Amino acid sequence: MNFRKWVYLFFSTLALGGLSGMITGLVIKGDLNQGIVPLLGLAVWFLGVAIIFSLISQMGFFAYLTIHRFGLGIFKSVKLWNAVQLVLVAFVLFDLVFFRYTAFAKAEETIFSYLVLPFLLLILGLIVAFIKQKQTNKQAFVPALFFMTVVTTLELFPVLRANDSKWVWIMFVPLIVSNIWQMLTLHKLTGTASK
């Protein structure tokens, strides 16, 4: 991948993450009754915050590409490395429900409200992994699923600790949009898409 393609991936991810986060922030926290100028100020603020989330997504993506190469080198087998990744996916999704529920649940809350985010993450991860597999090869499924679930969860960790449901969604949307875009664009830029 040359510098021009990397710049395209960087700025397109930044734009998509920023816009999706700005829209999400305005939908969740915006108030149409406050007037156009305060709403525009809020939009600019959410755009800036979402761009930061998009940058976190990009750092996570390139960190995963490095870790994936290390994993292949350490385990010396794609099948074994994929099995390790699948175990980690299951572990992280379970922890995303269990630890959040035990740490933050109030007496009247059930565990079902804590299942929404991991379930959505798993469904989106499976969809993206299936598309990635179709566009490249069979070996891309597990790494794509791992990235979409485990790495996205790690990127969400600061806001998960705060346990503010509005901010969880304001951060989740630009992260997931950025991660999907990067995952489904990289092979097109590097010329590794299946013919």
Side-chain angles (χ1 to χ4, degrees), residues 3 8 56-57 73 81 83 87 99 101 108 111 124 128 134 160 167 188-189 194:
F3 182 72
Y8 168 76
I56 291 169
S57 165
W81 174 229
V87 168
F99 286 123
Y101 177 72
E108 68 277 359
I111 199 166
L124 289 171
V128 170
K134 285 289 189 189
L160 291 174
W167 275 102
K188 295 173 186 170
L189 296 177
S194 59

Side-chain angles (χ1 to χ4, degrees), residues 58-191:
Q58 293 185 54
M59 288 188 302
F61 184 64
F62 286 102
Y64 174 69
L65 292 177
T66 305
I67 290 167
H68 182 64
R69 287 290 151 203
F70 283 139
L72 288 172
I74 290 169
F75 292 101
K76 306 279 190 229
S77 162
V78 173
K79 287 184 179 182
L80 183 56
W81 174 229
N82 282 348
V84 169
Q85 289 181 96
L86 286 174
V87 168
L88 289 172
V89 166
F91 182 74
V92 166
L93 290 174
F94 173 79
D95 287 350
L96 192 54
V97 176
F98 180 74
F99 286 123
R100 285 183 66 224
Y101 177 72
T102 56
F104 300 118
K106 297 177 179 70
E108 68 277 359
E109 281 185 305
T110 65
I111 199 166
F112 294 109
S113 62
Y114 291 89
L115 289 171
V116 174
L117 183 64
F119 182 73
L120 181 61
L121 200 55
L122 178 61
I123 295 300
L124 289 171
L126 288 169
I127 292 168
V128 170
F130 180 74
I131 293 169
K132 181 78 171 184
Q133 175 185 344
K134 285 289 189 189
Q135 292 179 351
T136 57
N137 57 54
K138 283 195 276 190
Q139 288 77 28
F141 185 86
V142 173
L145 178 63
F146 180 88
F147 173 73
M148 293 304 300
T149 55
V150 175
V151 177
T152 302
T153 301
L154 290 173
E155 293 165 349
L156 273 171
F157 189 72
V159 77
L160 291 174
R161 288 186 60 198
N163 198 41
D164 182 340
S165 61
K166 289 181 179 179
W167 275 102
V168 167
W169 293 109
I170 290 170
M171 187 174 186
F172 177 77
V173 171
L175 280 177
I176 203 75
V177 167
S178 297
N179 285 345
I180 290 170
W181 174 252
Q182 291 174 104
M183 182 56 63
L184 297 180
T185 303
L186 183 66
H187 60 272
K188 295 173 186 170
L189 296 177
T190 59

Side-chain angles (χ1 to χ4, degrees), residues 42-61:
L42 192 60
V44 170
W45 188 79
F46 276 123
L47 179 65
V49 169
I51 284 174
I52 292 169
F53 298 153
S54 178
L55 288 171
I56 291 169
S57 165
Q58 293 185 54
M59 288 188 302
F61 184 64

